[in-house]
Amino acid sequence: MSNVRVAVDVGGTFTDVCIFDQASHQMRVTKVPSTPHDPMIAVMNGVERGEIDLNEVELFTHGTTVATNALITRNFPAAALVTTRGFRDVLEIRDGTKDDLWDAYNDVSEPYIRRRDRFEVTERIDAEGNTVVPLDEAEARKLAELLLRRGVKTIAVCFLNSYANPAHEVRMREILQEVIPGATITTSAEVLPEIFEYPRFNTAVANAVLAPLVSGYVNRLADQLQAGGYKGDLLLLHSGGGSMTPRLVEKFPVRLAASGIAAGAISAKHIAQQCGYDNAVSLDMGGTSTDISLVADGELRVSQEWQVEYGHPIIFPSIEVLTIGAGGGSLAYTDIAGSLRNGPQSAGADPGPACYNSGGEQPTNTDANVVLGRLGTSLAGGVKQLDKKLAEQAVQSVIAEPLGMGLEEAAQAIVSVANANMADAVRLVSIRRGYDPRDFALLAFGGAGALHGADVARELGIPSVVVPPSPGVTSAMGCLLVDIQHDLAQMFTGLASAADEDSIEQAFIELETEASERLRHEGVADENAMLQRKISMRYQGQWRSLQVPMGTGPGALEQAVRTFHEQYEREFAFRQDDAPVEVYQLHLGAVGKIPKPSFRPVEPVTQEPGTPSEIRPVYFGTTGWVDTPVYDRDDLAAGTQFVGPAIVNQLDSTTVIPPFSRAEIDEWLNIRIHLEEVTR
């Protein structure tokens, strides 16, 4: 009987594999180096290293960076945009904003499709959905023949008011399919039926250019797993915190553009609930970057607009995650003014940190931690051997000598700058949102998160740190905790006070019908389907809207307006109950429930940590070198308590418990670090 669940998360340096046995309720993990040129190789290497019999696997879930990396590197197939005459440059004009308003030389990057590959056809539908100028089919066919001669098979069709009436986009797609058999065509109204043309065009273009890359990768991996004996659907984690099958990925590949980073946030919410924390900040520090998310009042924040590159918005619900260039492989260097910097440049998986002995010569956070004794001489259960002398040479030559520092002082400075960068990022997602980080716990995971977590928490005044049982593969575990999920939307503008509730109800019924069809298409039984209504509103005269829950039955709209006023006050510290409120858009979340792994708590058995595997000198800033016990995490049972300093080693991570703190192993086998010197 199939009773094994597997989750794989591909990172910039390592690919993490999480294997959960439903019969024994046991989870085991493994890590393999990532293969950026073809991530599927690392996935299958992880299956082999984890000794996974695919015949016994009931569910295989995957968080992938293929879409994200494609948008970053712009390694796209030849693509074209077809738009309404006169609107060829919508992607170029954008909304007039810049990432750095005061830097006259810092331009926003070019659109994903170049101007010479953007074409116009004659058509016009007005904002009410009425045909003003019919689609010129002769012109459309002539353009299709031109694209055929150019060998273009990836096309985005974006007409100005298609959100109100998609008929012209649908007909344009039919003509393109007739002339260019096998073409991959995305229409903006199908991907994002919203009024603002710039974000809609850009989302559709991103979807189009990703389609051949992502669907090709997903289908190759699904075929490889099937050849190995796996009989189920490969489930892909998407940005909104749900999963999709390969069939839906072919239609909406852009939803995978934040696939990997969402998994860690989902795990953070699960762990916080286990530990009894309604408020938690997650610090997911990997080899290349750190992903930070916020759990407030038991819920993750969700953003309706996000971007991989500034100026290229993607309008799909996404778990709000702040990513900064701070990872184990982040490079330390001095800038032109002689100041110490850390990241965002990274040594990556190849050549990696200097201590990897693979050709890297610049010091990284990993090298600094090796110099300070926080890391030993191997990573990932011996997959990577670390050369301390090479780490010392890199820190000495690149940082210590130019800045006139001692070796330990320079290594500590590298770590301190990285910690400060991460602390600043936590402030952005907490204090900037009106939350006091001292009221939160810090969940530290990722391959390097547990190395830095306690120091970051201390800098922020956070009193407690939680390190999960398998911190290096916690993001992968998040893939096991999600359901199949889709998000649908429909424009519906007008004053709430004058809105026809029957019309709103009928619009929601249409969305629910489409959502149910999608879930059935993905094999979800009706009894496992859950539909969640939401509605976007705004004060009259504003253009930014706020999404709130929407109930059913008489009075549902009136209640939604009251909720809007309350949430608006929470979000913006302002409300105006007597101001007219407009309905902007209807939303429907469609969730297909799938069984989750059942984790069991462990009864505490001891308070003693036992004999350490070794005692080695570790450098702790102002405390200096301290002989520090090093424990093997597998030897620490539930109930174990000890005081810092201490180091805890395991296959996928290393945890640093600094001086002036105490630690305990809870019933879920998390390490809870209490920074007792932190007071309000």
Side-chain angles (χ1 to χ4, degrees):
M1 181 181 294
S2 300
N3 60 2
V4 174
R5 298 184 177 213
V6 178
V8 179
D9 181 54
V10 177
T13 306
F14 284 103
T15 291
D16 307 326
V17 183
C18 182
I19 307 124
F20 183 79
D21 189 316
Q22 298 180 94
S24 64
H25 297 273
Q26 297 296 312
M27 187 169 69
R28 55 193 180 89
V29 301
T30 191
K31 296 173 78 76
V32 295
S34 293
T35 51
H37 65 286
D38 187 355
M40 189 185 76
I41 295 174
V43 174
M44 299 312 297
N45 287 345
V47 169
E48 181 180 354
R49 183 174 173 81
E51 298 179 348
I52 299 169
D53 184 348
L54 291 172
N55 290 288
E56 296 180 357
V57 175
E58 179 188 32
L59 190 69
F60 197 108
T61 57
H62 180 26
T64 175
T65 56
V66 170
T68 312
N69 292 341
L71 291 177
I72 291 171
T73 61
R74 294 172 172 254
N75 185 21
F76 304 137
L81 168 69
V82 179
T83 189
T84 305
R85 185 163 301 283
F87 291 87
R88 179 185 185 187
D89 293 317
V90 164
L91 294 178
E92 205 91 41
I93 297 168
R94 300 181 299 101
D95 57 5
T97 63
K98 296 178 64 174
D99 192 18
D100 187 344
L101 181 63
W102 307 109
D103 188 344
Y105 300 99
N106 184 17
D107 293 326
V108 175
S109 58
E110 294 181 355
Y112 294 137
I113 295 179
R114 298 169 298 181
R115 192 173 193 272
R116 67 186 184 189
D117 296 320
R118 303 197 296 264
F119 303 91
E120 300 173 342
V121 295
T122 301
E123 72 85 33
R124 179 58 72 89
I125 288 174
D126 67 16
E128 301 298 324
N130 303 309
T131 299
V132 178
V133 178
L135 174 67
D136 188 328
E137 295 200 10
E139 192 177 297
R141 193 169 296 276
K142 184 177 179 181
L143 172 57
E145 291 168 351
L146 171 64
L147 295 178
L148 176 64
R149 291 195 298 273
R150 288 192 176 191
V152 176
K153 289 197 170 186
T154 301
I155 306 163
V157 180
C158 304
F159 290 159
L160 182 62
N161 288 321
S162 60
Y163 71 92
N165 181 352
H168 286 179
E169 281 193 351
V170 171
R171 181 57 186 147
M172 186 72 223
R173 177 174 60 190
E174 291 172 351
I175 292 171
L176 289 168
Q177 288 172 335
E178 290 171 12
V179 177
I180 314 173
T184 301
I185 303 168
T186 293
T187 62
S188 71
E190 182 180 31
V191 173
L192 186 70
E194 290 196 14
I195 186 171
F196 296 112
E197 64 272 11
Y198 161 55
R200 172 161 51 89
F201 282 24
N202 196 82
T203 302
V205 165
N207 195 78
V209 297
L210 289 175
L213 301 172
V214 173
S215 61
Y217 166 75
V218 168
N219 289 328
R220 283 194 303 119
L221 178 57
D223 291 344
Q224 192 85 348
L225 294 173
Q226 188 176 26
Y230 177 55
K231 300 176 182 62
D233 267 330
L234 170 64
L235 293 183
L236 286 302
L237 183 73
H238 65 63
S239 60
S243 59
M244 306 166 67
T245 64
R247 290 186 292 275
L248 261 294
V249 169
E250 289 182 0
K251 290 185 67 175
F252 305 110
V254 72
R255 296 226 61 185
L256 299 186
S259 170
I261 61 177
I266 293 165
S267 283
K269 177 183 175 181
H270 171 77
I271 295 163
Q273 289 174 337
Q274 277 188 338
C275 296
Y277 294 115
D278 288 332
N279 298 327
V281 177
S282 73
L283 187 81
D284 180 3
M285 185 179 182
T288 306
S289 61
T290 295
D291 301 322
I292 298 167
S293 59
L294 190 80
V295 180
D297 299 323
E299 295 296 330
L300 289 162
R301 289 184 60 90
V302 175
S303 174
Q304 299 301 315
E305 178 178 333
W306 50 283
Q307 51 208 343
V308 174
E309 280 186 279
Y310 187 85
H312 305 286
I314 295 172
I315 315 298
F316 268 119
S318 175
I319 292 175
E320 196 171 90
V321 179
L322 176 62
T323 300
I324 64 170
S330 293
L331 299 174
Y333 61 97
T334 56
D335 64 16
I336 194 171
S339 298
L340 176 61
R341 301 288 183 181
N342 192 303
Q345 299 89 347
S346 174
D350 184 18
C355 60
Y356 279 17
N357 195 19
S358 297
E361 296 181 352
Q362 276 193 273
T364 65
N365 291 327
T366 297
D367 295 306
N369 280 304
V370 169
V371 170
L372 297 174
R374 298 181 175 206
L375 277 177
T377 57
S378 68
L379 284 180
V383 173
K384 285 288 186 183
Q385 296 298 317
L386 308 183
D387 190 321
K388 186 174 182 178
K389 289 185 178 179
L390 291 177
E392 290 174 342
Q393 289 173 10
V395 173
Q396 181 70 34
S397 61
V398 177
I399 303 299
E401 291 178 1
L403 296 180
M405 292 180 169
L407 178 62
E408 297 87 355
E409 184 185 7
Q412 181 62 49
I414 292 171
V415 171
S416 296
V417 172
N419 292 339
N421 290 341
M422 289 184 281
D424 284 344
V426 173
R427 292 185 182 101
L428 286 176
V429 302
S430 57
I431 296 174
R432 189 175 182 180
R433 301 290 190 190
Y435 298 101
D436 187 340
R438 295 174 296 181
D439 296 329
F440 287 67
L442 183 74
L443 305 184
F445 53 93
L451 273 169
H452 295 256
D455 290 337
V456 173
R458 185 162 279 162
E459 183 159 339
L460 292 162
I462 294 175
S464 298
V465 179
V466 178
V467 180
S470 302
V473 297
T474 297
S475 287
M477 186 184 76
C479 297
L480 293 175
L481 302 171
V482 298
D483 295 307
I484 292 175
Q485 180 178 320
H486 301 291
D487 300 282
L488 291 79
Q490 181 177 319
M491 296 300 301
F492 195 102
T493 55
L495 284 174
S497 58
D500 181 358
E501 292 200 39
D502 290 338
S503 297
I504 292 177
E505 178 66 21
Q506 183 58 40
F508 270 121
I509 289 173
E510 292 173 4
L511 289 175
E512 288 171 347
T513 300
E514 181 182 350
S516 298
E517 290 174 355
R518 285 193 190 185
L519 292 175
R520 291 191 195 103
H521 184 64
E522 296 195 293
V524 176
D526 288 348
E527 61 269 20
N528 293 327
M530 184 171 63
L531 305 179
Q532 303 165 329
R533 295 182 178 185
K534 293 186 178 181
I535 187 168
S536 288
M537 296 178 169
R538 59 192 178 186
Y539 286 122
Q540 188 177 29
Q542 294 185 339
W543 68 276
R544 290 192 181 276
S545 60
L546 190 65
Q547 190 179 114
V548 300
M550 177 70 177
T552 58
L557 182 58
E558 185 179 343
Q559 177 58 47
V561 171
R562 288 195 292 269
T563 304
F564 167 78
H565 288 302
E566 294 168 0
Q567 292 197 9
Y568 199 95
E569 182 178 26
R570 171 61 185 272
E571 191 78 14
F572 304 109
F574 168 81
R575 66 186 289 170
Q576 191 172 356
D577 291 54
D578 58 348
V581 174
E582 289 182 330
V583 176
Y584 171 65
Q585 195 173 32
L586 310 181
H587 303 268
L588 185 76
V591 178
K593 305 292 288 185
I594 58 176
K596 308 293 187 303
S598 175
F599 300 100
R600 290 180 178 177
V602 178
E603 288 293 327
V605 295
T606 181
Q607 292 187 344
E608 298 299 324
T611 304
S613 58
E614 65 170 309
I615 294 178
R616 70 169 180 251
V618 179
Y619 191 84
F620 289 101
T622 57
T623 307
W625 289 100
V626 180
D627 287 336
T628 302
V630 179
Y631 299 100
D632 189 322
R633 186 154 187 180
D634 291 339
D635 297 335
L636 300 178
T640 299
Q641 299 181 10
F642 49 97
V643 296
I647 302 290
V648 179
N649 278 337
Q650 59 191 106
L651 168 72
D652 55 335
S653 189
T654 297
T655 302
V656 173
I657 300 156
F660 311 110
S661 65
R662 62 183 178 87
E664 60 179 322
I665 310 298
D666 68 14
E667 68 272 27
W668 301 103
L669 299 182
N670 300 303
I671 301 177
R672 299 203 198 191
I673 305 171
H674 304 285
L675 305 173
E676 295 184 322
E677 70 175 13
V678 175
T679 57
R680 296 292 294 261

